[in-house]
Amino acid sequence: MLMNQMMVDKAEALIPELKTCEVEPEAVVDIVADEAAFQSWRVDRAEDQAWKERVLGKGDSLILDFGDHLVGYISLKVKPVGSPPDAPLKIKLTIGEMPCEIAEPFESYDGWLSSSWLQEETIFVDVLPAEIKLPRRYTFRYVKVDVLDTSKKYNVSFENVSCTAVTSGDVSGVASLPDSLPAELAEMDRIAIKTLQDCMQTVFEDGPKRDRRLWIGDLRLQAQANYLTFDKHDLVKRCLYLFAGMRLEDGAVGACVFEKPHAHADDTRLYDYALFFVACLYDYYEASKDRETLEELWPIAMKQLEIGAQRLDERGIVRDDETWWSFIDWHPELNKQAPSQGVFIYCLKRGLELARLVGQPDREKDIEELIKRVADAAVAHLWDEEAGFFVSGVDRQVSWASQIWLVLAEVLPVEENTALLSRLLEERPAIGMTTPYMYHHLIEALFSVGDSEKAVKQMQAYWGEMMRDGADTFWELYNPEDKKQSPYGSNLINSYCHAWSCTPTYFIRKYLV
Amino acid sequence: MLMNQMMVDKAEALIPELKTCEVEPEAVVDIVADEAAFQSWRVDRAEDQAWKERVLGKGDSLILDFGDHLVGYISLKVKPVGSPPDAPLKIKLTIGEMPCEIAEPFESYDGWLSSSWLQEETIFVDVLPAEIKLPRRYTFRYVKVDVLDTSKKYNVSFENVSCTAVTSGDVSGVASLPDSLPAELAEMDRIAIKTLQDCMQTVFEDGPKRDRRLWIGDLRLQAQANYLTFDKHDLVKRCLYLFAGMRLEDGAVGACVFEKPHAHADDTRLYDYALFFVACLYDYYEASKDRETLEELWPIAMKQLEIGAQRLDERGIVRDDETWWSFIDWHPELNKQAPSQGVFIYCLKRGLELARLVGQPDREKDIEELIKRVADAAVAHLWDEEAGFFVSGVDRQVSWASQIWLVLAEVLPVEENTALLSRLLEERPAIGMTTPYMYHHLIEALFSVGDSEKAVKQMQAYWGEMMRDGADTFWELYNPEDKKQSPYGSNLINSYCHAWSCTPTYFIRKYLV
């Protein structure tokens, strides 16, 4: 690990104070199986809403709906009913962003991510009445309380269950949208901002439920949405310094960093994510005009481009790999070569601009030549004239990701890019998009060629469908064709408030108002 | 509830400071099924004792043996091994006084006491390395750590697991026994003192694992043992004032009191337990000569005798009942009438002495007359000349408890009592003794008629057998004929360090040295 303590200290000095807000449940609900509902679970308001008066004994339970997505700390006030309690109270809390987490037993989970992400607590209360302040942070809308045991002599009532919600994103500073904007887009903007807000903690987390880390792929999109909404430059700056201050041995920026118990980087290396440091710095300077940071971080950005270039083969094409070397998207069969070539060119172009800004003409020239080399190589070796698509890997795979990233890299003239995207939407190659992250790049590509109409249609078909499925915040994963899909083996572990899904507000505010 | 706040305040002012002591595990062990072992579980020292170096992943576990019975607070130091932890750690602790608690799944428990007494915790650790200080107090010798989940990227090692043991009993002040005492009795004395010590917290608890309350039946025996060992008068005084300060509506002393969240009495009323307030006060004065307390509490003691007398029928016999009105012993078929008559006379006699001490000749005369009436009634109506035993209830039940309590009440001349006890031990009526509490009274009865030899034999057969079965502290329940017996439906929930079992030290120090 390459540590630059001065940079880490700079990052740590920028830890924002969190705003807190007390939230109480809005309703007591039942969650019932319903094939017609999203993920087959329907939420019904319970007939008897006087949950604070309910007396619960062994085996009884209560599902509280807080009415919106929250990130925060849960407190419970519980009192005994009956004789003096002659045994501890044993309760279980099941805490979920979505109805599936409350309704499907966690014991059934058999996915490949750790089951420790499933939010539950078994609590023994030795002294009653009690006010229990749970020390962990949860991300949720629903809380189920199961009374596992009391004793034959007493039952309990919950005087209150509440949440101290936390965020570093102050929504009061976000500009309102013109009334002329269609209601659906205004609501999409609101949900996107809530998504971003709940991910804004002491860093830009990827998902406040899971995995709560600062990933550079998510950061790039969050920062772009942030500049047009919360406009909190210091939080982006903190994140940039965390990545810059703790790098992998060869100087590459790691894919993600942890904040606690002290700042440290993960050992995950991803080709595209390291390069995005350049794009993040470029966007940050564009928004902030913070020249000091630009100058301090430029050498690290330049280093990423150099490391990116080391992966080129003699043709000027990014070498392919069988391992998890580049992220691009969660699609299990996606070949990452061509889209990574696109990411490289995309970041080189932003690096070129940074070199100009810092006044390094030698670097400028080097980068310019490199861009020409890799862009030409992309056209020469990855473009399949007959198919009318870019291909990737030895099997010449045609994927959405390859077209999208090579459009964003602007290796073809704009009219050819326009035609390529039209062809993509018409022919719909089998290797599709899995995550909102990939959908973001499709929409960004459509806007980049000026096709707002198609871009908005895609937003409405994807984020709009999430809204119709009841999203309070936008999700990590969503497949309108298979709504229980998860790359992790279970929809219980999906994050339902995820950074890379927050970009509708960016599109709306950048291109539509 | 009759509250006397002045008395409660006096009690609260006497809360002792607890002594603490750091204890570390003595060994890592395996617990294996073995029909020949106590409760069918054998404890084997594991081959590899370097448990702090073990790397544990999902599904791995560790059983730590602390080498002795402890009451206290557990801390764990855990560190990650491998990549930076990218998911919380989920562990489960199973904490037991006995091997059965570690080996038999708590899910199998189906007894009538609350399952919330079973000591376990499921803990999520969000940040590693971590030092986890569990907030609850546990009573245990064994701790099993199950690693329920880590992630694919890391495992864990436990750098330490330790216990801050607590007690208000300072063993350094206990007098040593003469070397002439047989080794078995010396060891029995040591274990009895450890039992008492672990029950001595901010009150004399009945069992530090379960149910942790101050019960007056237990208090009486603990106090008697305490006067000959720790000799901590203030803790007895605190307990007397708790009972005196919070009584049932008619002025009867309740069966037990709770300390938290503030001192309050339970709503349980037991005929024998209320009367024991008189015996406790008598013993306390005998040991402490604290006249101020005697004078302040005497009216409350006298009140218990009056309430006890209200239950007499026209013959002068305590009225029988079908409900749980008098404790005496856990035996499910035991009729409580005759033993309760014995308890009443026993307490009247101590009350008489107290009336003399405080100088109330009118009270003295009343009590003297009452003693004569109930003692005569016992002989007239409960003594079965033909059987040579006292009988109890309409079915004229012959039980051990009836004989023992009417011997302790001394209604027959001493030689007849001696003969009665011999007959009892010979004929062994079917309605036997269930608890060490009842065994205590048998042995006290034997000593009371001067039969030390038989008394010691009983101690060796009962407490000695517990020792051979591996007792670190003496148990709440023990049947040498059925070692898995529990009145609660499962041996998992039995208390294995119980106040009323601590009296071998009292017998040894009062009668044998």
Side-chain angles (χ1 to χ4, degrees):
Chain A
M1 173 94 62
L2 273 186
M3 280 290 287
N4 182 322
Q5 195 57 49
M6 183 273 291
M7 288 193 181
V8 174
D9 291 346
K10 218 164 200 170
E12 296 299 65
L14 291 167
I15 293 177
E17 228 178 274
L18 299 182
K19 276 158 257 305
T20 64
C21 168
E22 293 306 308
V23 188
E24 300 214 348
E26 205 178 83
V28 50
V29 296
D30 299 315
I31 296 179
V32 289
D34 179 354
E35 278 309 311
F38 179 65
Q39 292 180 340
S40 307
W41 297 108
R42 196 183 70 231
V43 179
D44 288 349
R45 210 178 147 85
E47 248 174 61
D48 176 13
Q49 286 295 316
W51 62 273
K52 292 183 184 180
E53 275 79 57
R54 273 201 213 170
V55 176
L56 291 93
K58 181 174 182 166
D60 293 334
S61 66
L62 194 63
I63 303 174
L64 298 171
D65 175 1
F66 279 74
D68 201 356
H69 190 271
L70 297 171
V71 180
Y73 298 86
I74 294 176
S75 295
L76 301 96
K77 280 182 85 167
V78 56
K79 67 175 181 189
V81 179
S83 287
D86 60 341
L89 168 67
K90 182 179 182 186
I91 56 173
K92 183 177 153 189
L93 301 185
T94 309
I95 303 157
E97 297 179 294
M98 296 295 283
C100 65
E101 291 163 82
I102 304 300
E104 297 170 26
F106 286 169
E107 293 72 33
S108 70
Y109 175 74
D110 191 30
W112 65 269
L113 285 184
S114 178
S115 63
S116 61
W117 286 117
L118 302 170
Q119 300 178 116
E120 58 175 340
E121 299 294 343
T122 303
I123 303 167
F124 292 87
V125 188
D126 291 322
V127 178
L128 288 167
E131 183 165 5
I132 306 155
K133 289 174 183 286
L134 298 175
R136 302 177 72 210
R137 198 191 75 185
Y138 306 98
T139 300
F140 68 101
R141 171 169 172 168
Y142 303 99
V143 175
K144 183 179 185 191
V145 184
D146 277 291
V147 175
L148 299 184
D149 219 332
T150 53
S151 86
K152 293 204 183 300
K153 295 199 73 175
Y154 80 100
N155 289 313
V156 290
S157 280
F158 289 88
E159 296 182 275
N160 207 5
V161 177
S162 63
C163 173
T164 305
V166 289
T167 176
S168 60
D170 183 359
V171 83
S172 70
V174 178
S176 26
L177 293 173
D179 292 342
S180 57
L181 195 77
E184 189 194 6
L185 291 180
E187 178 64 2
M188 194 183 286
D189 178 80
R190 187 193 65 75
I191 297 172
I193 290 171
K194 173 70 171 153
T195 306
L196 177 58
Q197 187 187 24
D198 281 359
C199 292
M200 286 171 76
Q201 302 294 335
T202 47
V203 293
F204 284 100
E205 297 185 12
D206 66 329
K209 181 177 83 180
R210 202 214 85 245
D211 56 20
R212 308 185 191 177
R213 265 179 281 174
L214 170 61
W215 287 83
I216 200 160
D218 299 73
L219 170 64
R220 178 174 147 260
L221 304 195
Q222 283 169 300
Q224 289 185 327
N226 168 55
Y227 300 135
L228 298 168
T229 53
F230 298 98
D231 204 20
K232 207 171 156 66
H233 298 161
D234 271 1
L235 192 62
V236 183
K237 183 173 171 184
R238 161 163 164 74
C239 294
L240 286 172
Y241 272 97
L242 283 172
F243 281 114
M246 303 177 295
R247 286 177 294 145
L248 302 173
E249 241 174 55
D250 65 350
V253 163
C256 63
V257 300
F258 299 91
E259 295 181 87
K260 287 179 183 168
H262 50 79
H264 61 292
D266 189 35
D267 53 11
T268 303
R269 165 196 292 267
L270 291 168
Y271 184 79
D272 51 347
Y273 274 32
L275 289 167
F276 284 139
F277 185 82
V278 188
C280 285
L281 183 59
Y282 171 82
D283 294 337
Y284 173 74
Y285 180 76
E286 284 297 294
S288 68
K289 304 296 175 198
D290 172 359
R291 200 161 172 95
E292 190 188 325
T293 298
L294 168 65
E295 283 174 2
E296 191 161 44
L297 299 186
W298 159 248
I300 291 169
M302 184 61 216
K303 182 76 185 166
Q304 306 314 306
L305 297 177
E306 286 165 10
I307 293 170
Q310 287 164 14
R311 211 181 160 92
L312 296 175
D313 64 16
E314 62 294 337
R315 301 171 301 166
I317 295 294
V318 171
R319 272 195 302 278
D320 199 7
D321 205 322
E322 291 299 299
T323 62
W324 196 55
W325 63 280
S326 187
F327 175 66
I328 306 297
D329 194 14
W330 267 128
H331 196 295
E333 289 155 52
L334 177 65
N335 182 283
K336 315 281 178 85
Q337 183 181 47
S340 298
Q341 184 91 8
V343 170
F344 187 34
I345 299 165
Y346 176 94
C347 293
L348 279 169
K349 290 185 173 176
R350 274 137 196 88
L352 176 64
E353 189 55 31
L354 294 178
R356 267 187 205 128
L357 284 164
V358 296
Q360 296 195 347
D362 289 0
R363 292 295 200 183
E364 232 186 288
K365 194 163 154 282
D366 292 350
I367 297 172
E368 222 158 17
E369 282 171 17
L370 188 53
I371 291 172
K372 186 165 166 26
R373 184 174 162 230
V374 288
D376 288 353
V379 176
H381 303 290
L382 302 178
W383 178 251
D384 184 324
E385 187 60 41
E386 204 179 320
F389 285 122
F390 287 101
V391 295
S392 183
V394 283
D395 295 332
R396 303 179 64 78
Q397 181 188 73
V398 176
S399 68
W400 288 62
S402 297
Q403 317 317 313
I404 290 165
W405 270 112
L406 284 156
V407 166
L408 289 170
E410 299 178 314
V411 294
L412 300 177
V414 67
E415 56 280 10
E416 286 183 40
N417 275 340
T418 311
L420 172 54
L421 288 176
S422 293
R423 207 153 46 241
L424 177 68
L425 291 174
E426 203 160 308
E427 296 192 17
R428 312 188 71 76
I431 305 296
M433 300 175 291
T434 309
T435 58
Y437 177 73
M438 199 64 238
Y439 272 87
H440 165 89
H441 292 106
L442 167 66
I443 290 160
E444 183 73 305
L446 287 166
F447 278 119
S448 78
V449 300
D451 200 341
S452 299
E453 202 185 312
K454 282 206 188 96
V456 170
K457 258 198 192 138
Q458 289 294 329
M459 286 164 66
Q460 286 167 327
Y462 194 68
W463 279 270
E465 184 73 2
M466 273 195 233
M467 287 162 63
R468 288 182 287 277
D469 278 333
D472 298 306
T473 46
F474 289 125
W475 304 331
E476 174 190 21
L477 298 150
Y478 186 61
N479 180 351
E481 308 303 316
D482 175 6
K483 294 182 176 178
K484 291 183 186 173
Q485 194 179 306
S486 168
Y488 312 122
S490 165
N491 57 347
L492 290 178
I493 209 114
N494 291 2
S495 160
Y496 292 94
C497 172
H498 217 73
W500 67 26
S501 279
C502 77
T503 55
T505 187
Y506 160 80
F507 293 128
I508 290 166
R509 288 164 189 263
K510 180 165 181 189
Y511 299 113
L512 302 176
V513 298
Chain B
M1 173 95 62
L2 274 185
M3 281 290 289
N4 182 322
Q5 194 57 49
M6 184 274 291
M7 288 192 180
V8 174
D9 290 346
K10 218 163 198 169
E12 297 298 68
L14 291 166
I15 294 177
E17 229 178 273
L18 299 182
K19 277 159 256 306
T20 64
C21 168
E22 294 304 309
V23 188
E24 300 214 348
E26 205 178 84
V28 52
V29 298
D30 299 314
I31 296 180
V32 289
D34 178 355
E35 278 310 311
F38 179 66
Q39 294 181 337
S40 307
W41 296 109
R42 197 182 71 230
V43 179
D44 289 349
R45 210 177 145 86
E47 249 175 60
D48 176 13
Q49 285 295 317
W51 61 273
K52 293 183 185 181
E53 275 77 60
R54 275 200 212 171
V55 176
L56 291 93
K58 180 175 183 166
D60 291 336
S61 67
L62 194 63
I63 302 175
L64 298 171
D65 176 0
F66 279 73
D68 201 355
H69 191 270
L70 296 172
V71 180
Y73 298 86
I74 293 176
S75 296
L76 300 97
K77 279 182 84 167
V78 56
K79 68 175 180 188
V81 180
S83 287
D86 60 341
L89 168 66
K90 182 179 181 183
I91 57 174
K92 183 177 151 188
L93 301 185
T94 308
I95 303 156
E97 295 180 294
M98 296 294 283
C100 66
E101 292 162 81
I102 305 300
E104 296 169 29
F106 286 169
E107 293 72 32
S108 70
Y109 174 74
D110 190 29
W112 64 268
L113 286 184
S114 179
S115 64
S116 61
W117 286 117
L118 301 170
Q119 300 179 117
E120 58 176 341
E121 301 292 344
T122 303
I123 303 167
F124 293 87
V125 188
D126 292 321
V127 177
L128 288 167
E131 184 165 4
I132 306 154
K133 289 175 183 288
L134 298 176
R136 301 178 72 210
R137 198 191 77 186
Y138 305 98
T139 300
F140 68 101
R141 171 170 172 168
Y142 304 100
V143 176
K144 183 178 185 193
V145 184
D146 277 291
V147 175
L148 299 184
D149 218 332
T150 53
S151 86
K152 293 204 183 299
K153 294 200 72 175
Y154 79 100
N155 289 314
V156 292
S157 280
F158 290 89
E159 295 183 276
N160 206 4
V161 177
S162 63
C163 173
T164 305
V166 290
T167 176
S168 60
D170 182 0
V171 83
S172 70
V174 178
S176 24
L177 294 173
D179 291 343
S180 56
L181 194 78
E184 188 193 7
L185 291 181
E187 178 65 1
M188 194 183 288
D189 179 79
R190 187 193 65 74
I191 297 171
I193 290 171
K194 173 68 170 155
T195 305
L196 177 57
Q197 187 186 24
D198 281 359
C199 293
M200 287 171 77
Q201 302 294 334
T202 47
V203 292
F204 284 101
E205 296 184 13
D206 65 329
K209 180 177 83 179
R210 202 216 84 245
D211 56 21
R212 309 186 191 175
R213 266 178 282 174
L214 170 60
W215 288 84
I216 200 161
D218 298 74
L219 169 63
R220 178 172 147 261
L221 305 193
Q222 283 169 301
Q224 289 185 327
N226 167 56
Y227 300 136
L228 298 168
T229 52
F230 298 98
D231 204 19
K232 206 171 158 66
H233 297 161
D234 272 0
L235 191 61
V236 183
K237 184 174 170 183
R238 160 164 163 76
C239 294
L240 286 172
Y241 273 96
L242 282 172
F243 281 114
M246 303 178 294
R247 286 177 294 146
L248 302 174
E249 240 173 55
D250 65 350
V253 163
C256 63
V257 300
F258 299 90
E259 295 180 270
K260 287 179 183 168
H262 50 78
H264 61 292
D266 190 34
D267 54 10
T268 303
R269 166 196 291 267
L270 290 169
Y271 184 79
D272 51 346
Y273 274 32
L275 289 167
F276 283 139
F277 184 83
V278 187
C280 285
L281 182 59
Y282 172 84
D283 294 338
Y284 173 75
Y285 180 76
E286 284 296 294
S288 68
K289 305 297 174 199
D290 173 357
R291 198 160 176 95
E292 190 188 324
T293 297
L294 169 64
E295 284 174 3
E296 190 160 47
L297 298 185
W298 159 247
I300 290 169
M302 184 61 216
K303 181 75 185 168
Q304 306 314 305
L305 298 177
E306 286 164 9
I307 293 171
Q310 286 164 14
R311 211 182 160 93
L312 297 175
D313 63 17
E314 62 294 337
R315 301 170 303 167
I317 296 294
V318 171
R319 272 195 304 277
D320 199 9
D321 205 322
E322 290 299 300
T323 63
W324 196 55
W325 63 281
S326 187
F327 175 65
I328 307 297
D329 194 14
W330 268 127
H331 196 297
E333 289 155 53
L334 177 65
N335 181 282
K336 314 282 177 83
Q337 184 181 48
S340 298
Q341 185 91 7
V343 170
F344 187 33
I345 300 165
Y346 176 93
C347 293
L348 279 168
K349 290 184 172 175
R350 276 135 195 90
L352 177 64
E353 189 56 29
L354 294 179
R356 267 186 206 129
L357 286 164
V358 296
Q360 296 194 347
D362 288 359
R363 292 295 200 184
E364 234 186 288
K365 196 163 152 280
D366 292 349
I367 297 172
E368 223 158 17
E369 283 171 17
L370 189 54
I371 290 173
K372 185 166 166 29
R373 184 176 162 227
V374 287
D376 288 354
V379 176
H381 303 290
L382 302 178
W383 178 251
D384 185 325
E385 188 60 44
E386 204 179 320
F389 284 122
F390 287 101
V391 296
S392 184
V394 283
D395 295 334
R396 302 179 63 80
Q397 182 188 74
V398 175
S399 68
W400 288 62
S402 297
Q403 318 317 313
I404 290 165
W405 270 112
L406 283 156
V407 166
L408 290 170
E410 299 178 313
V411 294
L412 299 177
V414 67
E415 57 281 11
E416 285 183 41
N417 275 341
T418 310
L420 173 56
L421 287 175
S422 293
R423 206 153 47 242
L424 177 67
L425 291 173
E426 204 159 306
E427 296 193 18
R428 312 187 71 76
I431 305 296
M433 300 174 291
T434 309
T435 58
Y437 177 74
M438 199 65 238
Y439 272 86
H440 165 89
H441 292 106
L442 167 66
I443 290 159
E444 182 73 308
L446 288 166
F447 277 120
S448 78
V449 300
D451 200 343
S452 300
E453 202 185 310
K454 281 206 189 96
V456 170
K457 259 199 189 135
Q458 289 294 331
M459 286 165 66
Q460 286 167 328
Y462 194 68
W463 278 271
E465 184 72 4
M466 273 195 234
M467 287 161 62
R468 289 183 285 278
D469 277 333
D472 298 305
T473 47
F474 290 125
W475 304 331
E476 174 190 20
L477 298 149
Y478 186 59
N479 180 351
E481 308 304 316
D482 175 6
K483 294 183 177 177
K484 290 183 188 175
Q485 195 178 305
S486 167
Y488 313 121
S490 166
N491 57 347
L492 290 178
I493 209 113
N494 291 1
S495 159
Y496 292 94
C497 172
H498 216 72
W500 68 26
S501 278
C502 78
T503 56
T505 186
Y506 160 80
F507 294 127
I508 290 164
R509 286 164 190 263
K510 180 165 182 188
Y511 299 111
L512 302 176
V513 298

